[in-house]
Amino acid sequence: MIKALLALAVSFTLVWALNTKHGDVPPFGKLLSPYRGFWQNGERPSDFPTQQTLALPGLQQPVTVRYDDRRVPHIFAQNDADLHFALGYLTARDRLWQMEFQTHVAAGRISEIVGDKALEYDRFQRRMGLPFGAERSAQKMLADPTTRVVLGAYSRGINTYIDQLTPATLPFEYKLLDYRPEPWKPLKCALLLQLMAWDLSGRSDDLRMSNILGKYGKAVVKDLFPDYPTREDPIVPTGTPLDFKPVPLPPTPADFQAAYSANVLQAEPDAELGSNNFAVSGAKSASGYPLLANDPHLQLNLPSIWYQVQLHAPGVNVYGVTIPGAPVVIIGFNENVAWGVTNVAADVLDFYQLKFRDRTQHEYWHDGRWKPIRRVVERIKVRGQPDRLDTVLYTHHGPIVYDRPEKPFNAQTPIARALRWTAHDGGNEVKAFYLLNRARNYQDYVAALPHYGAPAQNFIFASNERDIAIWPNGHFPLKWRNQGKFVLDGTSPTHDWQGWIPASHNPHLKNPARGFVSSANQFSAGPNYPYYLNWDFASYERGHRINQRLAQMTQVTPDSLRLLQNDNLNLNAQLMLPRLLALASGTDANSPAGKALGELRKWNYFYDADAIGPSLFELWYNNLVKRIWEDDFSPKVTGAEMRYPARDRTNNLILKEDNSPWIDDRRTPHHETLPELARQSLNFATDSLTRKFGPLGPKWRWAAQKSTDILHLARLPGFGQLDVDCGGGAGIVNATSERNGPSWRMVVALGPQVQAYGVYPGGQSGNPGSPFYNNLLETWRVGQLDELVFLRSAQEQHPRVPTAWTLQGK
């Protein structure tokens, strides 16, 4: 009996252990089960029949879905509600884990899935106010009759799919992480938009610049951090006449110098996130109709950021990409127009230094009186542990990200400073895209834009009426010049935002004489633009190279724009390498550094995969920049978080200022010269590559040194693609760097029969067990595009569209 009981106890213990998640160890019993484990996620041909009828509760009328050979759904519905219901249902079939996981990321709810190791991250997301802003956006979207229908139907479609799931059919990641999806609500759509707003507008140099101002003073700031660079090619060219009468700017208040601080936000979005878009007029095209191209540069992940779809219903026939979890096409085209977006990088996030009444932090001083602080208790669920409570303090500006010194999620954050951010105001971005999906002309495009708030985007446009246009668009605060370049005075109402730039006054350009419009995250307009948007944008090289190429083009075809999207010329190398070679003159030609110089002298400045020049130049140039500025602006040296001067100012110093006092390293008794630093940096570059790859040779090729990785969204090893062999790089039109790059390349040729081409580095399915998980990656890697299938009716026959499903209500 004792042996039997002992055997039974051991059996029960093993069953419990194998079916329970222990820390990062998945429940292997469930995961390996042949009946419900990951084996069931392998896709079989029978899982995707060419003909079937699905009975789905909630549909009003039958919906036809045609799938093409890239697994793109072409949805034909008879009303808006059914259209967006079907989009929600089909997107969930392909991408449920991805779309739901990202809402947990935005809401600060990762601890519910992985335990307390994500606790500080969750606190940070909530203290930054992402859920707060999402709730405001959801309220606005649900108050609008149109978007209320769209969000409600989309959510019902997702929930219909969730309700069908069994333990065996759960997406793989749920099994590995051992949790289940929860019902989808419209708030989750708003959370996804907040996450995008954070990625594209969540950077701030306010504290860094305040530290520099406090240490070096106004003269240095004016010299090293000017408000406009010497090399620039703005989106709206300098001198473009204004078609509006500017409203008065708020008066610039008396100087406020923020307290010197070693604390600054470090868990920030990558500065390399950007994009390109451009459109050429019919006068420059081979067809006589405009062409439009867009390639948003974001972090490269699997499953892919984007999801291709065609949506057809009365009043709309649109194709493009949506973010899984968003109920509209974000970048795309219809039979009449095409549009795309790039990030504006406007200064829409400011920090305010506060004065508290006492240590209780119940009141703060503003506008001559003490004002109450609102306290919000955040309940954070932690897997396997009791809930944690965290109190976030709110002022009229916004949340105080960290109200007292502590060890936060990110090593250094602003303490006792309030955050003002446009993403907290809430907007109805879904309405803007809903209207763009249905736009027929320029007037419809312009009417859609004011609904869009954040993150600010450069909306490019082309139409069959032969219009091309671009609007840097979003809700831009009406500021005095440089308001937000430094930390602002939270006690003075003159430092508050004083309203908004009228939407019709946002920079814009329509049908310019040069025959094209474009953007690459550079300055929105020249110095003659009457409003302040920011003082620091992306370096000019990508935008200038695009404009160079477009200005030279005639008889433009879709392939002309595809080739431009893949352009690998680095204008920074073209500008700076001759100067670096001159600084390193006299180097022994037989030394490793001398042989490297020989390689660089014959390089053509293109960052192609097999080129050796980019590997050398990147290490050489970047190390020289570090040697110039590190002793003056590195946090490790100064004790406070700072930033380096922008590339334009740095290049001017290297090119023209041999005797600049900034060249000397103040940490050493020796007086360094620029040629000396250049030779040291060259030796650093050659030594680094030699240690990594051996002597100078083909192994030094750029693709090996750059090593582009496309990782799984949750960083699950084995489910991404490492060392993708491709060229490009940061600051290049083909902006493919180590972890970021063109997340969707699209070219649209307008005309009586619109034609379009596109690709992203992944596939339609989020299931690693599907052949459509990363089937488009090779096409993307080699710089090609797929022709996009654009159907005019549900009955249209097309050789690439073999599948027809019917969705109907129960």
CSV table of all heavy atoms in Angstrom, one decimal, residues 584-610:
chain,number,residue,atom,x,y,z
A,584,ALA,N,44.9,61.5,-42.2
A,584,ALA,CA,45.7,60.3,-41.9
A,584,ALA,C,46.9,60.2,-42.9
A,584,ALA,O,47.5,59.1,-42.9
A,584,ALA,CB,44.8,59.1,-42.0
A,585,SER,N,47.1,61.2,-43.7
A,585,SER,CA,48.2,61.1,-44.6
A,585,SER,C,49.6,60.9,-43.9
A,585,SER,O,49.7,61.4,-42.8
A,585,SER,CB,48.3,62.4,-45.5
A,585,SER,OG,48.6,63.5,-44.6
A,586,GLY,N,50.5,60.2,-44.5
A,586,GLY,CA,51.7,59.9,-43.9
A,586,GLY,C,51.7,58.6,-43.2
A,586,GLY,O,52.8,58.1,-42.7
A,587,THR,N,50.6,57.9,-43.2
A,587,THR,CA,50.5,56.5,-42.6
A,587,THR,C,51.3,55.6,-43.5
A,587,THR,O,51.3,55.6,-44.7
A,587,THR,CB,49.1,56.1,-42.5
A,587,THR,OG1,48.4,57.0,-41.7
A,587,THR,CG2,49.0,54.7,-41.9
A,588,ASP,N,52.1,54.7,-42.8
A,588,ASP,CA,52.9,53.7,-43.6
A,588,ASP,C,52.0,52.9,-44.4
A,588,ASP,O,51.1,52.2,-43.9
A,588,ASP,CB,53.6,52.8,-42.5
A,588,ASP,CG,54.5,51.8,-43.2
A,588,ASP,OD1,54.6,51.7,-44.4
A,588,ASP,OD2,55.1,51.0,-42.4
A,589,ALA,N,52.2,52.8,-45.7
A,589,ALA,CA,51.4,52.1,-46.7
A,589,ALA,C,51.4,50.6,-46.4
A,589,ALA,O,50.4,49.9,-46.8
A,589,ALA,CB,51.8,52.4,-48.1
A,590,ASN,N,52.4,50.1,-45.8
A,590,ASN,CA,52.5,48.6,-45.6
A,590,ASN,C,51.9,48.2,-44.2
A,590,ASN,O,51.9,47.0,-43.9
A,590,ASN,CB,54.0,48.2,-45.7
A,590,ASN,CG,54.5,48.3,-47.1
A,590,ASN,OD1,53.8,48.0,-48.1
A,590,ASN,ND2,55.7,48.9,-47.3
A,591,SER,N,51.6,49.2,-43.4
A,591,SER,CA,51.0,48.8,-42.1
A,591,SER,C,49.5,48.5,-42.3
A,591,SER,O,48.9,48.7,-43.3
A,591,SER,CB,51.0,50.1,-41.2
A,591,SER,OG,50.2,51.1,-41.6
A,592,PRO,N,48.9,47.8,-41.3
A,592,PRO,CA,47.5,47.5,-41.4
A,592,PRO,C,46.6,48.7,-41.7
A,592,PRO,O,45.7,48.7,-42.5
A,592,PRO,CB,47.2,46.8,-40.1
A,592,PRO,CG,48.4,46.2,-39.6
A,592,PRO,CD,49.5,47.2,-40.1
A,593,ALA,N,46.9,49.8,-41.0
A,593,ALA,CA,46.2,51.0,-41.2
A,593,ALA,C,46.4,51.6,-42.7
A,593,ALA,O,45.5,52.0,-43.3
A,593,ALA,CB,46.6,52.1,-40.2
A,594,GLY,N,47.6,51.5,-43.2
A,594,GLY,CA,47.9,51.9,-44.5
A,594,GLY,C,47.2,51.1,-45.6
A,594,GLY,O,46.7,51.6,-46.6
A,595,LYS,N,47.1,49.8,-45.4
A,595,LYS,CA,46.4,48.9,-46.3
A,595,LYS,C,44.9,49.3,-46.3
A,595,LYS,O,44.2,49.2,-47.3
A,595,LYS,CB,46.6,47.5,-46.0
A,595,LYS,CG,48.1,47.0,-46.2
A,595,LYS,CD,48.3,45.6,-45.8
A,595,LYS,CE,49.7,45.2,-46.0
A,595,LYS,NZ,50.0,43.8,-45.6
A,596,ALA,N,44.4,49.6,-45.1
A,596,ALA,CA,43.0,50.0,-44.9
A,596,ALA,C,42.7,51.3,-45.7
A,596,ALA,O,41.7,51.4,-46.4
A,596,ALA,CB,42.6,50.2,-43.5
A,597,LEU,N,43.7,52.2,-45.6
A,597,LEU,CA,43.5,53.5,-46.4
A,597,LEU,C,43.5,53.2,-47.9
A,597,LEU,O,42.7,53.8,-48.6
A,597,LEU,CB,44.7,54.4,-46.1
A,597,LEU,CG,44.7,55.0,-44.7
A,597,LEU,CD1,45.9,55.9,-44.4
A,597,LEU,CD2,43.4,55.9,-44.4
A,598,GLY,N,44.3,52.2,-48.3
A,598,GLY,CA,44.3,51.9,-49.8
A,598,GLY,C,42.9,51.3,-50.2
A,598,GLY,O,42.4,51.6,-51.3
A,599,GLU,N,42.3,50.5,-49.3
A,599,GLU,CA,41.0,50.0,-49.6
A,599,GLU,C,40.0,51.2,-49.7
A,599,GLU,O,39.1,51.2,-50.6
A,599,GLU,CB,40.6,49.0,-48.5
A,599,GLU,CG,39.3,48.3,-48.8
A,599,GLU,CD,39.3,47.3,-49.9
A,599,GLU,OE1,40.4,46.7,-50.1
A,599,GLU,OE2,38.3,47.2,-50.6
A,600,LEU,N,40.1,52.1,-48.8
A,600,LEU,CA,39.1,53.2,-48.7
A,600,LEU,C,39.3,54.2,-49.9
A,600,LEU,O,38.3,54.7,-50.4
A,600,LEU,CB,39.3,54.0,-47.4
A,600,LEU,CG,38.7,53.3,-46.2
A,600,LEU,CD1,39.2,54.0,-44.9
A,600,LEU,CD2,37.2,53.3,-46.2
A,601,ARG,N,40.5,54.3,-50.4
A,601,ARG,CA,40.7,55.2,-51.5
A,601,ARG,C,40.0,54.8,-52.8
A,601,ARG,O,39.7,55.6,-53.7
A,601,ARG,CB,42.2,55.4,-51.8
A,601,ARG,CG,42.9,56.2,-50.7
A,601,ARG,CD,44.3,56.6,-51.1
A,601,ARG,NE,45.0,57.3,-50.0
A,601,ARG,CZ,45.9,56.7,-49.2
A,601,ARG,NH1,46.1,55.4,-49.3
A,601,ARG,NH2,46.5,57.4,-48.2
A,602,LYS,N,39.8,53.5,-52.9
A,602,LYS,CA,39.1,53.0,-54.2
A,602,LYS,C,37.7,52.7,-53.9
A,602,LYS,O,37.0,52.2,-54.8
A,602,LYS,CB,39.8,51.7,-54.6
A,602,LYS,CG,39.8,50.5,-53.7
A,602,LYS,CD,40.6,49.4,-54.2
A,602,LYS,CE,40.6,48.2,-53.2
A,602,LYS,NZ,41.4,47.0,-53.7
A,603,TRP,N,37.1,53.0,-52.8
A,603,TRP,CA,35.7,52.8,-52.4
A,603,TRP,C,34.8,53.8,-53.0
A,603,TRP,O,35.2,55.0,-53.1
A,603,TRP,CB,35.6,52.7,-50.9
A,603,TRP,CG,34.2,52.6,-50.4
A,603,TRP,CD1,33.2,51.7,-50.8
A,603,TRP,CD2,33.6,53.3,-49.3
A,603,TRP,NE1,32.1,51.9,-50.1
A,603,TRP,CE2,32.3,52.8,-49.2
A,603,TRP,CE3,34.1,54.3,-48.4
A,603,TRP,CZ2,31.4,53.3,-48.2
A,603,TRP,CZ3,33.2,54.7,-47.4
A,603,TRP,CH2,31.9,54.3,-47.3
A,604,ASN,N,33.6,53.5,-53.5
A,604,ASN,CA,32.7,54.4,-54.2
A,604,ASN,C,31.6,55.0,-53.2
A,604,ASN,O,30.7,55.6,-53.7
A,604,ASN,CB,32.1,53.7,-55.4
A,604,ASN,CG,31.2,52.5,-54.9
A,604,ASN,OD1,31.1,52.2,-53.8
A,604,ASN,ND2,30.7,51.8,-55.9
A,605,TYR,N,31.7,54.8,-52.0
A,605,TYR,CA,30.8,55.4,-50.9
A,605,TYR,C,29.5,54.6,-50.9
A,605,TYR,O,28.6,55.1,-50.2
A,605,TYR,CB,30.5,56.9,-51.2
A,605,TYR,CG,31.8,57.7,-51.3
A,605,TYR,CD1,32.1,58.3,-52.5
A,605,TYR,CD2,32.7,57.8,-50.3
A,605,TYR,CE1,33.2,59.1,-52.7
A,605,TYR,CE2,33.9,58.5,-50.5
A,605,TYR,CZ,34.1,59.2,-51.7
A,605,TYR,OH,35.2,59.9,-51.8
A,606,PHE,N,29.3,53.5,-51.6
A,606,PHE,CA,28.1,52.7,-51.5
A,606,PHE,C,28.2,51.7,-50.4
A,606,PHE,O,29.2,50.9,-50.3
A,606,PHE,CB,27.8,52.1,-52.8
A,606,PHE,CG,27.2,53.0,-53.8
A,606,PHE,CD1,27.9,53.9,-54.6
A,606,PHE,CD2,25.8,53.1,-54.0
A,606,PHE,CE1,27.4,54.8,-55.5
A,606,PHE,CE2,25.2,54.0,-54.9
A,606,PHE,CZ,26.0,54.8,-55.6
A,607,TYR,N,27.1,51.6,-49.6
A,607,TYR,CA,27.1,50.6,-48.5
A,607,TYR,C,26.5,49.3,-49.0
A,607,TYR,O,25.4,48.8,-48.5
A,607,TYR,CB,26.3,51.2,-47.3
A,607,TYR,CG,27.1,52.0,-46.4
A,607,TYR,CD1,27.9,53.0,-46.9
A,607,TYR,CD2,27.1,51.8,-45.0
A,607,TYR,CE1,28.7,53.9,-46.1
A,607,TYR,CE2,27.9,52.6,-44.2
A,607,TYR,CZ,28.6,53.6,-44.7
A,607,TYR,OH,29.4,54.4,-43.9
A,608,ASP,N,27.1,48.7,-50.0
A,608,ASP,CA,26.7,47.4,-50.5
A,608,ASP,C,27.1,46.3,-49.6
A,608,ASP,O,28.1,46.4,-48.9
A,608,ASP,CB,27.2,47.2,-51.9
A,608,ASP,CG,26.6,48.2,-52.9
A,608,ASP,OD1,25.5,48.7,-52.7
A,608,ASP,OD2,27.4,48.5,-53.9
A,609,ALA,N,26.4,45.1,-49.7
A,609,ALA,CA,26.7,44.0,-48.7
A,609,ALA,C,28.1,43.6,-48.8
A,609,ALA,O,28.7,43.3,-47.8
A,609,ALA,CB,25.7,42.9,-49.0
A,610,ASP,N,28.7,43.5,-50.0
A,610,ASP,CA,30.1,42.9,-50.1
A,610,ASP,C,31.2,44.0,-50.0
A,610,ASP,O,32.4,43.6,-50.0
A,610,ASP,CB,30.2,42.2,-51.5
A,610,ASP,CG,29.5,40.9,-51.5
A,610,ASP,OD1,29.3,40.3,-50.5
A,610,ASP,OD2,29.0,40.6,-52.6
